[in-house]
Amino acid sequence: MPGLSSSSDVQLDLVQTWFRLQGDLVGIFGVAVRTALDEVIETARTTRWSLEQCGNQEKAYVGVKLENVVRGIFSFERGALGMDYDVAGIDVDCKWSKSWGRWQIPREAVGHICLLIWADDPRSEMAVGLIRIREQILVGGNQDKKRTLQSPGGISEIRWLVPRTPLLPPNFLLQLPDADRSA
């Protein structure tokens, strides 16, 4: 439904309602994000305590980890049209960003609904929203032909399931004073 705005989108309404019926979305998505970040940081094996200590490939892997953690939490099947999830019979793609508003949207997601997840680990902040991707709200392009949402135009169309909040479960080691962490 590429021509629809977010205010008249029956599928987006259904997906939003489905998520809202799942209960404490701050808690559910907080655990999902914390799990994905911790699995990439992998402190026990690497002695790292921050995503910033990871290489670029590892940082990029957070999105894949998060997609899989969310799939497991909600028992989602893959979408019939090639997106990450089937939510109430509707294809939904999952997009992660550690930079506010910088979700990378691939060409194949245009016309589909995206579950947008953002987190700032040092600040223990996160946000989760839904949006129908339309050509009109995308800008730029990288070497993979992925684009980002217009700011503020595209970002204003996001339907927030979890508005930006400082309720991401904290990274315990990141919160410690340097001397204690080093010890």
Side-chain angles (χ1 to χ4, degrees):
M1 300 186 180
L4 292 178
S5 73
S6 63
S7 61
S8 63
D9 190 326
V10 173
Q11 288 185 333
L12 190 55
D13 292 342
L14 287 171
V15 172
Q16 182 178 18
T17 298
W18 187 92
F19 274 108
R20 292 234 163 109
L21 291 173
Q22 302 313 302
D24 174 21
L25 293 179
V26 171
I28 292 168
F29 281 106
V31 166
V33 172
R34 177 81 274 133
T35 299
L37 291 172
D38 289 348
E39 286 181 7
V40 170
I41 296 167
E42 206 175 6
T43 301
R45 183 179 310 213
T46 66
T47 68
R48 299 180 300 216
W49 61 86
S50 167
L51 189 60
E52 296 311 312
Q53 295 173 302
C54 297
N56 287 337
Q57 274 188 314
E58 292 169 300
K59 290 177 190 175
Y61 193 57
V62 172
V64 174
K65 278 283 189 186
L66 190 54
E67 172 193 328
N68 290 327
V69 171
V70 169
R71 179 179 291 110
I73 288 172
F74 292 111
S75 300
F76 288 142
E77 297 293 327
R78 291 198 67 80
L81 302 175
M83 297 295 107
D84 296 324
Y85 310 130
D86 176 320
V87 180
I90 299 161
D91 268 38
V92 175
D93 212 25
C94 183
K95 295 298 163 212
W96 150 260
S97 179
K98 71 179 193 74
S99 301
W100 180 254
R102 303 292 299 167
W103 297 279
Q104 296 291 299
I105 309 298
R107 290 177 294 191
E108 60 269 17
V110 174
H112 291 280
I113 296 168
C114 282
L115 175 69
L116 305 176
I117 304 174
W118 166 84
D120 182 324
D121 203 15
R123 292 184 170 152
S124 297
E125 290 184 326
M126 67 176 205
V128 180
L130 295 167
I131 191 168
R132 169 80 65 184
I133 302 299
R134 302 179 299 115
E135 290 285 349
Q136 300 87 332
I137 63 171
L138 297 173
V139 296
N142 66 12
Q143 67 274 15
D144 297 330
K145 302 210 184 317
K146 292 182 179 178
R147 296 176 289 165
T148 57
L149 299 177
Q150 289 178 9
S151 181
I155 292 174
S156 69
E157 292 189 19
I158 298 170
R159 295 187 186 184
W160 296 108
L161 299 172
V162 177
R164 192 170 178 165
T165 180
L167 295 176
L168 174 66
N171 176 335
F172 171 74
L173 293 171
L174 194 57
Q175 308 300 317
L176 289 175
D178 289 341
D180 292 342
R181 189 172 45 237
S182 295

